[in-house]
Amino acid sequence: YWLLFAASVPGIFVDPQLKSFFSKLSWRALVVICIFVVGLRYRVGCDWQNYADLYEAIRTNSDFGLSRLTAIFSWGPAFLGLNWLSAQLGLGIYFVNFICAGISIGGLATFCRKLSFPWLGWTIATPYFIVVVTMGYTRQSVAIGLFLGALNLLQDRKVLRYIGVILVATMFHTSALVLLPLALTPWFREQPRKYISIFVLVIIFLGLILGPDAYRQIQGYIDTNRVSYGAIVRSLMTIIPTLFLFTFRRSLTQLSKLMEVWYLLSLASVLLFFSVWFMSTPTDRISLYLIPIQIFVWASLPIIPPFNRFQILVKSSLVLYNAAILWVWTSFGLNSRCWTPYQNLFFKSGIF
């Protein structure tokens, strides 16, 4: 994990904007390496056994509760289809994880390439998104990766394509439906009243669709007394860049055409920050869709006044901050035991 983190740091100071051929080659190599590290992991992540049991049930045509339509949508039709395909090809859970890693890491790479400092954005995403989310929450990491890539479509005002990508994301994790209203943001400045009206209608529509399932999940968390003890800290990781976004919104507006999107996501981060004290686990999972705020704001910080006069210092501070996140999580995280020691299919097969 530390090697993955350290691999992107030199680029932040040597070629932060990915201009040289060597830097571009290094970028592609790191993306591929990350896909292999995430996709071919072995028994890494606390949900590993659940996913392995699902694959085995599909391979052996066992029921596993999949005869119910609610279970199919709970697991995600696309994710189940990917497991079925892997079972038919005899490639095991590794093929499923590899494809999911390619989508999530690929989406992150596409998003970071549009940032002012791609290497910095990648470094910021490494401790939490790459190490924790992609290796722990396989299905939702795919949804987040698709969302990261779709944000570029929204920036280019390709709304229908954005909607299409988000609908695909919902086939892996139903919660991605909450991202659909963002498709309306390109028209916010032009027709704010119409935008707000449609936005409210979409929220009501999503509430009717997601409401019953969300209620069952929340009730399940309450009945089992599930608490995410690190949820407050992770919420702080989002609320802090949110405050920076509001403070330096004029400068950031010059760097992104998605400010309406960032405003909505920032508003959501504020609301979720308060709800995390009462419903930590469901709030924590929805908050994962706010990871782009962290990447965008921190990766833009060195270029906006008054920080642009101290770029080296700001970049160094951000590297140390994210190194601290990785160190705290690997050293003190309650679930970090599921990530250590890191194991890979190559290690297991004796190739390395």
Side-chain angles (χ1 to χ4, degrees):
Y1 306 126
W2 282 105
L3 287 173
L4 279 183
F5 179 80
S8 59
V9 174
I12 297 174
F13 302 97
V14 177
D15 186 12
Q17 296 179 323
L18 273 176
K19 292 182 177 180
S20 70
F21 171 78
F22 179 76
S23 187
K24 293 176 181 177
L25 183 63
S26 300
W27 174 271
R28 295 189 182 99
L30 182 57
V31 171
V32 172
I33 289 171
C34 279
I35 292 174
F36 274 90
V37 169
V38 174
L40 299 183
R41 67 190 185 279
Y42 171 67
R43 303 196 70 84
V44 174
C46 292
D47 288 338
W48 171 274
Q49 194 57 51
N50 292 335
Y51 288 125
D53 291 343
L54 171 68
Y55 172 81
E56 190 61 22
I58 292 175
R59 187 185 70 83
T60 58
N61 292 319
S62 302
D63 181 62
F64 207 69
L66 297 178
S67 58
R68 292 179 287 110
L69 188 61
T70 54
I72 293 175
F73 279 98
S74 180
W75 278 106
F79 186 71
L80 292 175
L82 194 56
N83 275 268
W84 177 85
L85 177 61
S86 184
Q88 297 302 306
L89 298 174
L91 297 176
I93 193 175
Y94 303 102
F95 176 77
V96 178
N97 288 341
F98 189 80
I99 297 300
C100 290
I103 298 173
S104 56
I105 298 296
L108 172 65
T110 301
F111 176 75
C112 288
R113 287 290 275 119
K114 293 281 188 176
L115 298 173
S116 301
F117 298 114
W119 282 115
L120 183 57
W122 187 274
T123 303
I124 291 163
T126 300
Y128 190 42
F129 181 67
I130 295 180
V131 173
V132 180
V133 176
T134 63
M135 297 194 197
Y137 315 132
T138 305
R139 294 185 302 116
Q140 195 169 5
S141 73
V142 173
I144 297 170
L146 289 170
F147 175 47
L148 285 165
L151 283 172
N152 290 337
L153 296 174
L154 207 54
Q155 181 168 282
D156 297 333
R157 300 178 75 88
K158 298 176 180 178
V159 178
L160 292 179
R161 291 188 183 182
Y162 171 85
I163 293 174
V165 172
I166 297 303
L167 289 176
V168 172
T170 64
M171 295 295 101
F172 285 90
H173 208 278
T174 315
S175 62
L177 277 172
V178 301
L179 303 171
L180 275 180
L182 296 177
L184 302 172
T185 53
W187 295 287
F188 179 72
R189 289 184 181 178
E190 300 162 6
Q191 298 174 307
R193 292 183 179 178
K194 184 177 180 180
Y195 167 84
I196 293 172
S197 301
I198 298 176
F199 182 80
V200 170
L201 290 174
V202 171
I203 291 296
I204 294 173
F205 174 71
L206 293 178
L208 293 173
I209 294 178
L210 296 177
D213 184 57
Y215 175 78
R216 283 194 299 270
Q217 291 191 36
I218 293 172
Q219 192 62 43
Y221 293 135
I222 294 173
D223 293 341
T224 56
N225 294 319
R226 290 185 62 180
V227 177
S228 297
Y229 291 101
I232 294 175
V233 175
R234 289 187 286 273
S235 184
L236 284 171
M237 288 169 56
T238 303
I239 202 69
I240 293 173
T242 293
L243 295 176
F244 273 82
L245 186 143
F246 286 133
T247 304
F248 302 102
R249 58 187 180 279
R250 291 184 179 178
S251 298
L252 291 171
T253 301
Q254 300 175 8
L255 301 176
S256 175
K257 298 177 182 178
L258 291 173
M259 286 311 295
E260 287 80 12
V261 172
W262 299 127
Y263 286 146
L264 285 175
L265 293 179
S266 297
L267 177 61
S269 74
V270 174
L271 296 175
L272 291 173
F273 178 72
F274 289 105
S275 68
V276 76
W277 300 87
F278 309 101
M279 298 183 297
S280 62
T281 300
T283 300
D284 195 31
R285 296 307 290 265
I286 290 296
S287 296
L288 292 175
Y289 292 114
L290 302 179
I291 287 176
I293 294 179
Q294 299 178 34
I295 303 173
F296 167 67
V297 173
W298 292 140
S300 302
L301 197 64
I303 206 172
I304 65 175
F307 301 102
N308 56 354
R309 292 179 294 175
F310 311 100
Q311 281 198 17
I312 299 297
L313 178 60
V314 173
K315 291 177 182 177
S316 300
S317 299
L318 288 171
V319 170
L320 291 175
Y321 164 68
N322 284 278
I325 291 173
L326 182 58
W327 176 73
V328 169
W329 183 80
T330 53
S331 302
F332 305 105
L334 293 177
N335 294 321
S336 61
R337 56 182 170 77
C338 300
W339 274 254
T340 54
Y342 172 78
Q343 299 180 79
N344 192 281
L345 178 60
F346 287 147
F347 303 163
K348 180 189 174 187
S349 61
I351 296 177
F352 291 113

